[in-house]
């Protein structure tokens, strides 16, 4: 019985020494928060494409929550393509010069940052992109593009790369906004940031 108490005491000390000083986990996970502020919508006009800006008030001058409107628009336009919990199972843990990265695979390796992007080094010396940010906060991006031209069915494209105006126009078959003259033509994109802390 004396040995058993001794083992419990030693085991308790071991557990205490393994914990972090502030009681927080050092594993970074998706916070359940997605930033959709990078949302753009362009519509055709006789003078060329114009940005449709979501204002902070409705037609009657009543205030509206712009983020809620953008969120609703993303969900409506990108329905099945936008996955709210896309990175639910991804984790990143920094431990001195080593990182443990878990997504569709588990990698324990050295890491490096290049231009705010985090990479792990595989055993074959290739770099694998993990996320953007720093050791305190990271994010992943899903680029969503929707376009509907007057004579065609709506198209939706999802990518792990950010979308910009040039990419959106090219995908819709335009070389510039000046060509977007049909009022029924619409181009929408959003770069969703999945936040990890």
């Amino acid at each position: 019985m004396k040995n058993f108490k001794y083992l419990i005491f030693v085991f308790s000390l071991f557990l205490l020494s393994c914990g972090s000083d502030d009681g927080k986990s050092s594993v970074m996970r998706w916070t359940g928060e997605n930033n959709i502020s990078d949302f753009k919508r362009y519509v055709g006009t006789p003078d060329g494409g114009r940005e449709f800006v979501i204002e902070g008030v409705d037609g009657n001058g009543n205030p509206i929550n712009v983020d809620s409107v953008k969120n609703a628009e993303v969900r409506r336009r990108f329905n099945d393509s936008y996955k709210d919990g896309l990175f639910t199972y991804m984790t990143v843990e920094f431990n001195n010069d080593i990182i443990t990265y878990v997504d569709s695979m588990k990698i324990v390796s050295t890491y490096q940052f290049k231009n705010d992007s985090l990479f792990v080094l595989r055993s074959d010396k290739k770099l694998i992109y993990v996320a953007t940010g720093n050791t305190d906060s990271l994010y992943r991006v899903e680029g969503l593009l929707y376009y509907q031209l007057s004579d065609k069915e709506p198209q939706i494209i999802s990518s792990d790369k950010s979308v910009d105006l040039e990419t959106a126009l090219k995908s819709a078959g335009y070389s510039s906004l000046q060509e977007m003259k049909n009022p029924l033509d619409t181009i929408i994109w959003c770069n969703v940031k999945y936040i990890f802390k």
Side-chain angles (χ1 to χ4, degrees):
M1 185 66 155
K2 194 175 193 179
N3 287 341
F4 182 72
K5 287 181 183 178
Y6 178 74
L7 283 174
I8 290 176
F9 175 75
V10 171
F11 183 70
S12 298
L13 287 176
F14 174 77
L15 288 177
L16 287 173
S17 67
C18 290
S20 63
D21 294 341
D22 59 5
K24 292 182 183 176
S25 171
S26 61
V27 177
M28 297 175 80
R29 300 180 193 291
W30 175 58
T31 61
E33 178 185 336
N34 298 336
N35 180 321
I36 58 163
S37 61
D38 190 12
F39 174 90
K40 300 287 182 183
R41 180 174 17 172
Y42 284 82
V43 293
T45 73
D47 297 325
R50 295 284 180 254
E51 184 174 0
F52 180 88
V53 179
I54 300 171
E55 301 290 340
V57 294
D58 65 15
N60 298 322
N62 299 317
I64 61 170
N65 184 326
V66 174
D67 287 339
S68 292
V69 172
K70 288 179 182 179
N71 197 4
E73 186 75 4
V74 166
R75 290 180 191 285
R76 183 171 75 90
R77 296 291 184 166
F78 298 105
N79 48 34
D80 294 335
S81 297
Y82 171 53
K83 295 172 181 58
D84 193 26
L86 181 61
F87 296 103
T88 301
Y89 300 105
M90 183 177 134
T91 61
V92 177
E93 182 176 15
F94 295 97
N95 189 359
N96 297 322
D97 295 335
I98 302 295
I99 188 173
T100 302
Y101 165 57
V102 178
D103 195 2
S104 60
M105 61 189 142
K106 179 177 181 178
I107 298 176
V108 179
S109 176
T110 56
Y111 66 91
Q112 63 184 39
F113 281 94
K114 284 185 173 182
N115 300 327
D116 294 331
S117 292
L118 171 64
F119 295 88
V120 294
L121 187 63
R122 283 192 342 193
S123 57
D124 62 0
K125 304 298 183 209
K126 288 187 179 178
L127 293 175
I128 298 176
Y129 172 77
V130 175
T132 303
N134 56 50
T135 56
D136 294 324
S137 179
L138 295 168
Y139 66 88
R140 288 285 292 264
V141 172
E142 179 186 24
L144 299 169
L145 171 61
Y146 168 97
Y147 62 91
Q148 181 165 14
L149 307 181
S150 57
D151 58 344
K152 297 182 178 145
E153 289 293 313
Q155 299 295 311
I156 298 173
I157 300 170
S158 175
S159 169
D160 60 355
K161 294 184 172 68
S162 294
V163 179
D164 58 17
L165 179 58
E166 183 180 349
T167 304
L169 287 170
K170 185 177 178 180
S171 297
Y174 292 115
S175 58
S176 70
L177 279 173
Q178 287 70 33
E179 295 177 358
M180 196 174 165
K181 295 185 180 287
N182 190 319
L184 298 177
D185 291 356
T186 302
I187 296 175
I188 299 171
W189 78 86
C190 183
N191 295 307
V192 180
K193 288 184 180 178
Y194 295 80
I195 313 296
F196 294 80
K197 289 190 179 178

